[in-house]
Amino acid sequence: MSEDEPTADEGEANRERNLDAIRDRLGALEADLEDFEADLESADTEDDLNVVEADLESVREDVEDVEIPDPPETDDDEDDEPAPEAKLQDRYDDLESDLGDLEDDLEDQRGPYAEDVVGEIDGVANTITNTRWTVEGDEELIEAVDSFLTDVNDLLESDLSTPGDLEPASGAELGENAEEEGTVPQALEETLEEATAAVEDASPDPDEDAETIAGLLEATDDFEGGVDDATEWTDLEVREQLRREGFYDVLAHVKDFPPEWHALKVHEKRGNVDQILLAYETLGSEYMEEHCLEALERMGPEDAIEPMVQKAGRRDEAAIRILGKIGVADDEVVDALLDYVDSNPDLQKPAFRALGEIGAESAVQPLANQLLADNPDVRSWAARALGLIGDTRAIDPLADVLADDEEDRVRASAAWALNCIGTADALEIVAGYEDDRAYLVQAEATRVDLEPAA
């Protein structure tokens, strides 16, 4: 042992001195916390709270500076008395927990403030503009805002009021956008912005104007309750919603049962896509949903893209077919369909066809990969989808299928696809199979016209 190294007894003595110092430090911090807890209980003003906050921040820094050493390692596996370091760690954890509780109590004791009132008003305003209301709901909203403004005027001596020309709109007039220009929710939102500006301009002091702030918060709570009680569109029965939307207005008489089916057929005949989508989104019947989807598949309206993309995402074959019928190759549609290129055959078949119908060029490689699938049906559907897309990048892989695939029906699909692509190179490949063993392939070869058009 070198002369500089402490002996075992000296090391133990150093350890004890270090632990004693930590005990003293923790004791002092614990005493400080007790004093600051009493200061917090007696704090009456924001200034008092600011003093306590500064004290707690100082204690927080001191606590974070304390380092509890790890207990020494021992060879004894028996459950002995915890090491002094472990006991100090427990005291430290308790101290830190008590400090956190005091910090939370300090925040709870602050305020309320004018910004709390503004936040509450903004929250109610968002509810108003993001909810669809009935005519009755509009009327109840106007009444709730009027009552709230009366309270605000009394407390702030302001002169706020709702516009005098507000007219509740019917559901059909309102549509689905509560933020539509000129609607009751939009007008009330602007009025509530004036109310928040009035609170901010008044700038009530949390000490001197505590009663005013408390009164404003109470008024806001009552206001929020009035808005919650107002009649939302979803509070109506389904048939009442449809009636107010004019869904049944096309019925001079009821020919089919249920009447929704009869109305649906009339709307399809008249091209009223909005009413068909309304029925699809509103009616909770699988029977009526099926008829709505059939109507949309026959019509192929672009207005149906968004709901059909959502439904296609739930592995729905009808929605996939409808997207193909609509024929719009935007990124959202293509991405939804590409999810099923490597799926099960029940979903691959409509997805392949839909990708072909919309001409999704980004699907060429994923579809070409499926020309090597084990299932001959999948290979055939992939070939035909590539033909519908018509991209020349598919010529070589289709030519390989036509030359090498073991299934004649798959080869015939490849020949059909090359005919669809229709370039000179593609047609020349197909024309070489006039004497093919398979009649379907021969038929495709005889359709080729290599003579240039006059």
Side-chain angles (χ1 to χ4, degrees), residues 29 96 159 176 183 215 244 282 303 307 324 364-365 372 408 447:
L29 290 172
E96 193 170 49
D159 189 22
E176 295 187 358
T183 63
R244 295 193 185 199
T282 305
D303 290 346
V364 170
Q365 188 59 57
L372 303 176
D408 287 340
R447 289 200 304 120

Side-chain angles (χ1 to χ4, degrees), residues 83-161:
E85 289 86 352
K87 293 180 179 180
L88 287 176
Q89 184 64 55
D90 288 342
R91 282 184 65 182
Y92 179 89
D93 292 341
D94 290 341
L95 176 65
E96 193 170 49
S97 176
D98 292 342
L99 176 58
D101 290 342
L102 272 180
E103 291 168 336
D104 291 341
D105 291 343
L106 172 68
E107 289 306 312
D108 291 342
Q109 198 164 322
R110 286 191 179 278
Y113 304 106
E115 50 262 38
D116 296 327
V117 178
V118 170
E120 293 290 335
I121 298 174
D122 287 343
V124 181
N126 286 335
T127 299
I128 290 175
T129 54
N130 292 321
T131 303
R132 192 176 183 196
W133 305 97
T134 62
V135 176
E136 299 88 347
D138 277 355
E139 293 170 347
E140 292 159 353
L141 289 177
I142 295 171
E143 183 178 344
V145 173
D146 279 335
S147 176
F148 173 63
L149 294 181
T150 298
D151 291 339
V152 172
N153 289 336
D154 289 343
L155 290 164
L156 299 182
E157 298 182 359
S158 53
D159 189 22
L160 301 168
S161 63

Side-chain angles (χ1 to χ4, degrees), residues 293 297 311-312 314-323 344-351:
L293 293 174
E297 187 171 356
K311 191 167 182 61
R314 299 192 291 272
R315 306 173 67 83
D316 189 272
E317 296 177 43
I320 293 172
R321 293 195 303 270
I322 292 168
L323 290 174
N344 67 68
D346 288 340
L347 295 170
Q348 284 177 304
K349 183 176 182 179

Side-chain angles (χ1 to χ4, degrees), residues 223-297:
F223 177 35
E224 184 176 10
V227 172
D228 288 342
D229 292 339
T231 307
E232 299 180 25
W233 187 254
T234 53
D235 294 336
L236 299 176
E237 297 292 334
V238 169
R239 284 198 171 179
E240 179 60 16
Q241 291 181 10
L242 293 174
R243 184 189 68 76
R244 295 193 185 199
E245 291 280 21
F247 182 76
Y248 298 105
D249 292 352
V250 297
L251 295 178
H253 64 284
V254 178
K255 179 180 179 181
D256 299 303
F257 186 84
E260 290 78 17
W261 186 22
H262 186 184
L264 182 69
K265 290 193 285 187
V266 177
H267 285 304
E268 180 185 352
K269 185 176 180 180
R270 297 185 182 181
N272 297 335
V273 177
D274 58 332
Q275 293 291 347
I276 295 172
L277 289 173
L278 172 67
Y280 164 73
E281 293 167 358
T282 305
L283 295 168
S285 158
E286 291 184 7
Y287 173 81
M288 284 305 302
E289 179 180 286
E290 180 180 349
H291 284 295
C292 289
L293 293 174
E294 289 174 353
L296 292 172
E297 187 171 356

